[in-house]
């Protein structure tokens, strides 16, 4: 995944749950943490998909004619970045890590997120092969960063509630196991 936006959980609010989880088996701790991370990162992913919408494009009339003569759709399918956004959760050195970003098939999402400088584009095929077009650059649209900022408090609330649910579920399973003995 190119340039995935990562964030670590370094909050005082989750320290209490971290202490409780540290007393559990590693496998149980990782299962509870991973499920809580996936549940908590869902609003960030949904917001990122909404914010990834392309901005209105002003196209040059001469450029439109040039593209029309070539007979191809150089702009591709719209919404491909939104469709390629994913979330991954993992535990690194005992610390939860959430990754939100795009798949390799939408590698240009990095260019949308960070923007581009003015550059030349050489046309390799079609009736205009060999010509060079000057691209004016693109303004950055840091949709992943904004999605995290907009949903940070909701992320923490959802994370805490899901960890608590996981702990209750684990405690109930242990109680039932002991009652069978």
């Amino acid at each position: 995944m190119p340039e995935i936006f990562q964030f670590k959980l370094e909050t005082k609010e989750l320290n209490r749950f971290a202490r409780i989880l540290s007393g559990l088996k590693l496998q149980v701790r990782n299962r509870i943490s991973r499920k809580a991370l996936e549940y908590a990162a869902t609003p960030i992913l949904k917001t990122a998909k909404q914010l990834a919408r392309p901005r209105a494009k002003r196209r040059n009339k001469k450029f439109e004619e040039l593209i029309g003569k070539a007979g191809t759709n150089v702009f591709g399918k719209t919404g491909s970045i939104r469709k390629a956004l994913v979330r991954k959760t993992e535990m690194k050195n005992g610390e939860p890590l959430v990754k939100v970003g795009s798949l390799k098939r939408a590698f240009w999402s990095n260019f949308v997120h960070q923007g581009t400088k003015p550059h030349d584009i050489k046309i390799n095929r079609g009736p205009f092969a060999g010509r060079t077009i000057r691209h004016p650059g693109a303004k950055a649209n840091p949709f992943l960063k904004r999605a995290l900022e907009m949903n940070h408090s909701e992320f923490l609330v959802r994370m805490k509630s899901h960890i608590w649910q996981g702990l209750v579920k684990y405690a109930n399973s242990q109680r039932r196991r002991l009652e069978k003995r």
Side-chain angles (χ1 to χ4, degrees):
M1 291 185 190
E3 279 302 314
I4 279 195
F5 192 72
Q6 301 181 24
F7 56 96
K8 287 185 181 179
L9 295 175
E10 296 174 2
T11 62
K12 294 176 184 175
E13 299 171 22
L14 294 175
N15 285 343
R16 185 180 77 163
F17 289 108
R19 282 195 303 272
I20 294 170
L21 289 173
S22 65
L24 299 174
K25 296 177 191 173
L26 180 66
Q27 183 181 6
V28 174
R29 180 175 51 214
N30 286 349
R31 184 174 357 116
I32 291 173
S33 297
R34 179 165 285 180
K35 286 184 177 186
L37 285 170
E38 287 178 9
Y39 175 73
T42 302
I44 296 171
L45 183 65
K46 286 181 181 179
T47 304
K49 287 183 178 189
Q50 290 173 349
L51 295 174
R53 296 179 192 271
R55 296 193 174 130
K57 297 176 184 170
R58 281 188 341 196
R59 296 189 187 137
N60 186 324
K61 190 172 184 180
K62 189 176 180 182
F63 182 68
E64 289 288 338
E65 291 172 10
L66 184 70
I67 297 302
K69 289 178 187 174
T72 59
N73 181 6
V74 295
F75 298 109
K77 295 180 179 178
T78 58
S80 55
I81 292 176
R82 288 188 301 259
K83 292 175 188 169
L85 285 175
V86 294
R87 72 171 183 271
K88 284 191 172 185
T89 57
E90 58 185 59
M91 298 295 288
K92 260 198 175 165
N93 301 328
E95 291 186 24
L97 181 69
V98 178
K99 296 179 179 182
V100 178
S102 63
L103 298 171
K104 289 181 181 177
R105 70 173 182 249
F107 64 91
W108 60 88
S109 66
N110 190 25
F111 303 131
V112 172
H113 195 268
Q114 295 180 350
T116 61
K117 293 180 179 178
H119 57 281
D120 293 328
I121 300 173
K122 187 175 180 180
I123 301 173
N124 293 328
R125 47 187 173 180
F128 301 102
R131 285 182 103 179
T132 303
I133 297 174
R134 182 78 178 153
H135 189 282
K139 187 178 176 184
N141 177 12
F143 56 92
L144 291 172
K145 187 175 182 180
R146 287 188 292 142
L148 174 61
E149 291 168 356
M150 291 170 69
N151 292 296
H152 189 263
S153 59
E154 185 180 356
F155 175 84
L156 293 175
V157 168
R158 289 172 68 103
M159 180 76 180
K160 284 193 263 182
S161 71
H162 213 71
I163 287 175
W164 188 252
Q165 288 173 4
L167 289 171
V168 168
K169 187 176 179 180
Y170 178 71
N172 287 338
S173 70
Q174 293 300 311
R175 182 179 49 81
R176 283 192 301 271
R177 199 175 112 224
L178 290 173
E179 287 175 353
K180 288 182 180 178
R181 288 183 181 178

